Amino acid sequence: MEVNQQARCRELAMSSSFYSAVYSEIEEVGWEHLVRVGGDLNFLIFRVLDTKGRVHVLEIELDKAYPKVPPMVSADVPYIFNLEWTMNSRLKNLVQQFEEHLEKLQGFWYTLDEIDRSLQIVDSKQASRAIVSRQIQLGNDCFMILSISINDPRSLPECRFMGSGIVVNSLRKTWKRNVDKWVRDNAFLENLECLLNTQLPRLADEEKNNHLDECGICYAQYLPIGDEHTSNSGIATDYICENNSCSKAFHSMCLVDWMRSITTTRQSFNVLFGNCPYCSEPNAVKINSTKN
């Protein structure tokens, strides 16, 4: 959250009861969690960290009649929770309900993470926490589409096969013959390979290492090309949060600029010591070779 944006919000808060109410409610949630704000405070984006360290973006749209009219909410989740709202409700209550909703989805995301970390997923960069299915490469131009139950992710998933008729027919028969071997307490991948009676192709180490994430500050994979970025134009994300539970990617330049806007950041020689914008854990980033 840029300092000048917070100053703009403070200025608006002095102009009407709506702005004043929204400003005070943002303070209750915490400015460090605010990612973006609309010019008239009718659109807010917060980052929310769940109990497993996953970072989620919560988008909130406010009507001018707020709080009489409940906020509209969207997020990268398989379904939105039923917002409980009264005239006395505040943004902190909405965020709390979102956090409770995230907790209910932990088992579902754990299963998706197990699949995404190990197997060869088609269009893995487009894989979303809101999508319940994964298309998995099996080799020989054959694919398996799994649909994971949101409420019971350890149960037998729905499964479809695509590809060569002879190979796919054999896989279907093997799956149907072995469905009774699915054991809820076993690891998801162990169950899959037991049912298919084969080892599934694993995600190669180089593919894991070369997976490119968007910057958690500018939301781009590469810095734009232009005079502003000089020699850093076009570089990919090159810094990962030191908290293994977060591991959010950033451009060093973006992280340096963000840390410099925070009053608690300290500098020693060419290193800035501050906190991750997402998980708030301590991080250190060098400022040489970045924009000054």
Side-chain angles (χ1 to χ4, degrees):
M1 178 64 183
E2 296 182 2
V3 175
N4 60 344
Q5 285 186 305
Q6 185 172 348
R8 173 59 178 161
C9 292
R10 188 181 299 112
E11 179 183 335
L12 288 172
M14 300 174 63
S15 63
S16 78
S17 59
F18 170 80
Y19 295 139
S20 178
V22 174
Y23 180 86
S24 65
E25 292 184 30
I26 293 174
E27 285 194 320
E28 289 178 346
V29 175
W31 288 98
E32 68 275 14
H33 301 297
L34 187 64
V35 177
R36 194 172 301 167
V37 58
D40 54 0
L41 301 190
N42 68 332
F43 182 72
L44 310 169
I45 299 180
F46 289 101
R47 62 172 64 92
V48 179
L49 196 69
D50 68 26
T51 55
K52 299 301 182 182
R54 300 183 185 91
V55 178
H56 305 268
V57 175
L58 175 64
E59 299 182 359
I60 303 172
E61 187 174 347
L62 303 177
D63 189 271
K64 283 298 183 183
Y66 175 86
K68 292 181 180 179
V69 176
M72 295 181 62
V73 179
S74 62
D76 193 24
V77 292
Y79 66 97
I80 292 295
F81 58 99
N82 293 320
L83 177 62
E84 297 180 3
W85 192 261
T86 69
M87 276 293 295
N88 296 322
S89 297
R90 302 173 70 84
L91 289 177
K92 65 178 182 181
N93 304 123
L94 189 159
V95 173
Q96 182 179 7
Q97 291 180 50
F98 182 60
E99 291 172 337
E100 293 171 353
H101 183 59
L102 295 178
E103 190 61 27
K104 296 176 182 177
L105 295 168
Q106 292 306 308
F108 169 70
W109 284 325
Y110 179 87
T111 298
L112 287 187
D113 286 347
E114 187 178 356
I115 296 171
D116 294 343
R117 281 196 306 264
S118 303
L119 301 181
Q120 297 185 13
I121 309 300
V122 178
D123 295 330
S124 59
K125 291 183 179 180
Q126 279 69 52
S128 163
R129 293 194 185 109
I131 299 174
V132 301
S133 62
R134 291 292 189 267
Q135 184 173 339
I136 301 167
Q137 297 185 31
L138 302 177
N140 299 318
D141 293 324
C142 293
F143 306 90
M144 173 173 58
I145 302 177
L146 295 176
S147 296
I148 312 302
S149 170
I150 298 172
N151 298 319
D152 191 11
R154 299 186 68 89
S155 63
L156 178 70
E158 294 183 11
C159 180
R160 293 187 294 121
F161 294 97
M162 300 171 55
S164 170
I166 296 176
V167 177
V168 164
N169 287 337
S170 176
L171 289 170
R172 287 197 189 102
K173 291 178 181 178
T174 303
W175 179 275
K176 291 179 180 179
R177 185 172 61 248
N178 294 331
V179 288
D180 292 337
K181 294 183 179 180
W182 187 274
V183 180
R184 294 176 57 88
D185 293 334
N186 288 352
F188 193 86
L189 297 185
E190 179 184 345
N191 274 323
L192 283 182
E193 293 180 336
C194 179
L195 262 66
L196 293 173
N197 197 26
T198 186
Q199 183 175 354
L200 298 173
R202 292 296 197 266
L203 184 64
D205 289 339
E206 57 268 22
E207 291 183 67
K208 296 178 183 179
N209 295 333
N210 291 334
H211 180 70
L212 188 60
D213 291 319
E214 295 179 350
C215 174
I217 295 173
C218 73
Y219 301 103
Q221 292 181 346
Y222 301 94
L223 284 173
I225 297 175
D227 294 337
E228 179 185 358
H229 301 287
T230 60
S231 61
N232 293 295
S233 297
I235 68 169
T237 50
D238 57 348
Y239 185 92
I240 301 295
C241 174
E242 297 172 12
N243 176 11
N244 291 333
S245 297
C246 174
S247 298
K248 188 65 180 176
F250 303 97
H251 297 114
S252 294
M253 177 185 293
C254 294
L255 190 58
V256 164
D257 287 347
W258 187 88
M259 282 189 173
R260 280 175 168 167
S261 71
I262 305 301
T263 57
T264 55
T265 298
R266 297 179 296 104
Q267 181 172 345
S268 177
F269 297 100
N270 67 334
V271 179
L272 292 179
F273 296 89
N275 301 95
C276 172
Y278 276 72
C279 69
S280 299
E281 288 297 307
N283 276 254
V285 59
K286 292 183 179 180
I287 60 177
N288 59 338
S289 77
T290 64
K291 181 184 71 174
N292 294 312

